[in-house]
Amino acid sequence: MFHTHTPPEYLTSDAITGNVVHCFSTRYGGVSTGHLSSLNLGVHRGDDWNNVYENYRRLGAAVGFTPEQTVFTHQTHTDIVSRVGAEDRGWGLFREVEPERDGIYTDEAGVALVCFSADCTPILLHDPVRHAVAAVHAGWRGTALGIAARCVEAMTRDFGTDPADLQAAIGPCIGPCCFETGPEVRAAMLDALGEEAERFIRPALRSCHSERSEESVPPSQEKYYPDLKRLNALWLRRAGVTTVDVSKDCTRCQPQRFWSHRVTGQARGSLAAVIMLRP
Ligand SMILES: [Zn+2]
């Protein structure tokens, strides 16, 4: 179950427990103005850097981390996950992140991992036994590539993580209510996950009053509504993770509360999901 905190408003999952802090941000409680109002956490959105810094300071003060402790992803819709540590702090907020990585993980305390979204799926992982955390960004491409499972595998390889110990929280993203796609997205999910993926892809509803027969819609124009959160939960369960908490919130349904790329295009801020082992 997810809980709302304020101010600034952010969400936490009660699946993530122990000596760790985490959050999924909303738009509320920051200092950015105009179309970035108000809690923009992206440094490449056209915002004044000082506003972004102050937004991190406010969110971090409420959640329990500082801007100086942050390490960002560099998201390009890959399945690349990278191990980071204390020496990487400041990467993103104070200097450019060079290597592409859609997920980052660490076993070092005091390193606040940050991934970004504005309809894509943010995923946080915590291993309370081996003391490690991860932040992962999965759009539909990253979901089809199984980046959530790649991150679990990397934590097992590097830290000896038993996936059954992991606590996973999948944050707000565009839901199957709103995420209209063509058949290529469905095909990618079925290729990657097999028939079980079909449970989490809603076909377009046909009106029983429709004048057109079913045959009148060519397959290439069929619409499908994938549930990215549940597809990522499926990847995690297959990777051996048993504790997976899934947010009910759809970013596109609540554009005042969450940044939604589908609603505003590039004229938007970024949501952040943050997780850090307490020092
Ligand atoms: Zn929706």
Side-chain angles (χ1 to χ4, degrees):
M1 184 183 291
F2 279 70
H3 301 276
T4 303
H5 309 258
T6 186
E9 185 183 307
Y10 62 93
L11 308 175
T12 59
S13 163
D14 57 15
I16 296 185
T17 61
N19 203 21
V20 62
V21 298
H22 79 284
C23 70
F24 295 91
S25 74
T26 71
R27 288 184 63 169
Y28 296 136
V31 298
S32 301
T33 58
H35 69 277
L36 298 170
S37 176
S38 66
L39 194 69
N40 166 47
L41 295 166
V43 291
H44 298 295
R45 308 309 316 170
D47 207 347
D48 182 325
W49 183 88
N50 293 297
N51 288 345
V52 182
Y53 178 88
E54 176 61 15
N55 291 340
Y56 273 98
R57 196 195 62 73
R58 290 183 178 204
L59 180 65
V63 173
F65 66 91
T66 67
E68 289 71 21
Q69 288 174 314
T70 58
V71 180
F72 292 6
T73 52
H74 175 185
Q75 299 174 185
T76 53
H77 296 278
T78 66
D79 63 348
I80 299 169
V81 295
S82 298
R83 182 176 180 173
V84 298
E87 74 280 7
D88 299 310
R89 288 185 292 199
W91 238 4
L93 189 53
F94 299 96
R95 57 189 193 278
E96 284 295 316
V97 179
E98 301 214 337
E100 296 181 2
R101 66 267 183 102
D102 281 81
I104 47 180
Y105 59 99
T106 189
D107 64 347
E108 294 183 40
V111 180
L113 308 180
V114 185
C115 69
F116 302 95
S117 60
D119 287 340
C120 290
T121 314
I123 303 163
L124 298 178
L125 302 173
H126 174 223
D127 178 348
V129 177
R130 299 290 181 165
H131 303 294
V133 288
V136 176
H137 157 259
W140 78 259
R141 288 186 181 81
T143 303
L145 289 166
I147 187 171
R150 299 292 89 74
C151 193
V152 173
E153 292 159 9
M155 294 173 79
T156 298
R157 180 190 66 224
D158 289 358
F159 307 139
T161 290
D162 179 347
D165 292 331
L166 278 173
Q167 304 166 343
I170 299 177
C173 81
I174 193 166
C177 40
C178 294
F179 187 35
E180 181 178 283
T181 70
E184 72 284 358
V185 176
R186 171 176 173 270
M189 299 305 168
L190 290 173
D191 276 353
L193 285 158
E195 289 294 305
E196 198 179 356
E198 199 87 85
R199 290 170 53 201
F200 307 111
I201 303 171
R202 177 172 73 79
L205 294 176
R206 294 175 193 283
S207 166
C208 49
H209 306 297
S210 173
E211 294 294 311
R212 298 192 302 175
S213 69
E214 284 202 16
E215 288 70 33
S216 69
V217 180
S220 63
Q221 289 172 27
E222 292 276 5
K223 297 300 179 192
Y224 295 94
Y225 297 80
D227 186 335
L228 292 175
K229 287 178 281 197
R230 302 242 167 241
L231 288 161
N232 279 289
L234 176 59
W235 275 114
L236 288 170
R237 284 205 307 278
R238 290 208 185 156
V241 183
T242 54
T243 304
V244 182
D245 193 15
V246 179
S247 164
K248 290 183 171 55
D249 287 313
C250 167
T251 45
R252 194 183 178 185
C253 281
Q254 303 171 73
Q256 303 306 315
R257 189 178 182 211
F258 299 109
W259 305 110
S260 171
H261 191 86
R262 286 244 170 164
V263 173
T264 55
Q266 290 294 344
R268 58 160 180 85
S270 283
L271 301 168
V274 186
I275 191 164
M276 183 184 82
L277 297 165
R278 274 203 191 92

